[in-house]
Amino acid sequence: NAGVTQTPKFRVLKTGQSMTLLCAQDMNHEYMYWYRQDPGMGLRLIHYSVGEGTTAKGEVPDGYNVSRLKKQNFLLGLESAAPSQTSVYFCASSPGGPSTGELFFGEGSRLTVL
Amino acid sequence: GENVEQHPSTLSVQEGDSAVIKCTYSDSASNYFPWYKQELGKRPQLIIDIRSNVGEKKDQRIAVTLNKTAKHFSLHITETQPEDSAVYFCAASMKAAGNKLTFGGGTRVLVKP
């Protein structure tokens, strides 16, 4: 059981480049989330999904797109990267339904935009 | 939307002393309040949580209290040890809103031997 796996772990982009972060979970969880973590600002929700084929905006969605074509995968895309998107990105999943609400996090992906 | 504030941002304690971290939330509909611990370079991990129908919960050296009327909750760590050094985050969510957690800004705890 790998839990929540994120790829890549590290990436350096130039301004204007695009990229996709992949999150995969093998716990059959319904809900998935993408957060970004910046110093002193905690974790802020970018987008989330409450089931296959559904997505919704979080607190800081601008500049990002997401897709949940398969239940186990949640993709985060940056179409035109900006230096303000330099951050550590965490994917998380949650069982949903009558569960406790606990989020299970991936190891994080450190993105630097030059 | 929900807003969670956390204090202090840094906390230095002597080994064996207690540490207290406080959080306030804005949305009275929030009903789930977890605390996560994040060690340097690692992922956040749940250490304890509490629901709005409970006022206090304890697990060995850590405890959480909730005051729904005042909309604040606190984490208490007793008999601190060097391995308690980490960043701690409080959070709040509504189960009906997709379980999406709103996090506080974090508290960096340093336990000095």
Side-chain angles (χ1 to χ4, degrees):
Chain A
N1 236 2
V4 180
T5 304
Q6 294 180 226
T7 52
K9 302 279 191 295
F10 302 92
R11 184 75 187 269
V12 178
L13 288 177
K14 294 181 179 178
T15 297
Q17 287 185 319
S18 63
M19 76 159 295
T20 300
L21 294 173
L22 170 63
C23 177
Q25 52 96 3
D26 60 3
M27 297 176 284
N28 201 35
H29 285 175
E30 287 294 329
Y31 297 175
M32 296 186 75
Y33 315 82
W34 275 107
Y35 283 88
R36 61 176 288 173
Q37 183 174 33
D38 302 294
M41 301 186 74
L43 294 104
R44 293 181 292 168
L45 183 64
I46 304 171
H47 286 281
Y48 66 104
S49 167
V50 296
E52 181 179 316
T54 75
T55 62
K57 294 180 180 180
E59 182 185 353
V60 288
D62 294 343
Y64 305 95
N65 57 74
V66 288
S67 64
R68 182 107 181 262
L69 298 180
K70 292 183 179 180
K71 184 177 182 178
Q72 63 268 34
N73 295 338
F74 196 30
L75 277 65
L76 177 71
L78 287 72
E79 289 188 347
S80 179
S84 60
Q85 294 178 303
T86 293
S87 188
V88 179
Y89 292 85
F90 284 97
C91 177
S93 69
S94 173
S99 69
T100 61
E102 178 181 358
L103 265 59
F104 297 81
F105 285 88
E107 293 182 311
S109 298
R110 182 175 295 275
L111 174 65
T112 302
V113 183
L114 302 175
Chain B
E2 175 67 278
N3 183 50
V4 177
E5 297 195 354
Q6 182 173 347
H7 299 281
S9 57
T10 60
L11 181 59
S12 182
V13 297
Q14 207 65 40
E15 182 177 356
D17 287 350
S18 295
V20 180
I21 304 170
K22 298 182 179 183
C23 289
T24 60
Y25 61 99
S26 61
D27 194 333
S28 56
S30 288
N31 56 15
Y32 176 64
F33 307 93
W35 287 87
Y36 283 79
K37 176 182 180 182
Q38 186 179 30
E39 297 176 350
L40 189 63
K42 304 287 187 181
R43 75 190 83 190
Q45 293 196 300
L46 180 73
I47 56 171
I48 194 167
D49 56 14
I50 192 168
R51 299 209 164 272
S52 57
N53 58 349
V54 175
E56 184 174 355
K57 185 177 178 181
K58 188 174 182 180
D59 183 5
Q60 299 183 352
R61 294 187 297 108
I62 59 173
V64 58
T65 59
L66 171 65
N67 183 327
K68 286 189 296 182
T69 303
K71 289 189 281 188
H72 67 69
F73 56 114
S74 300
L75 178 72
H76 304 252
I77 307 173
T78 59
E79 301 173 16
T80 54
Q81 300 168 5
E83 53 264 37
D84 294 329
S85 295
V87 179
Y88 292 81
F89 292 97
C90 63
S93 77
M94 282 179 286
K95 206 165 161 54
N99 285 353
K100 48 186 174 70
L101 293 177
T102 300
F103 285 85
T107 297
R108 184 174 298 279
V109 174
L110 175 64
V111 180
K112 296 179 288 186

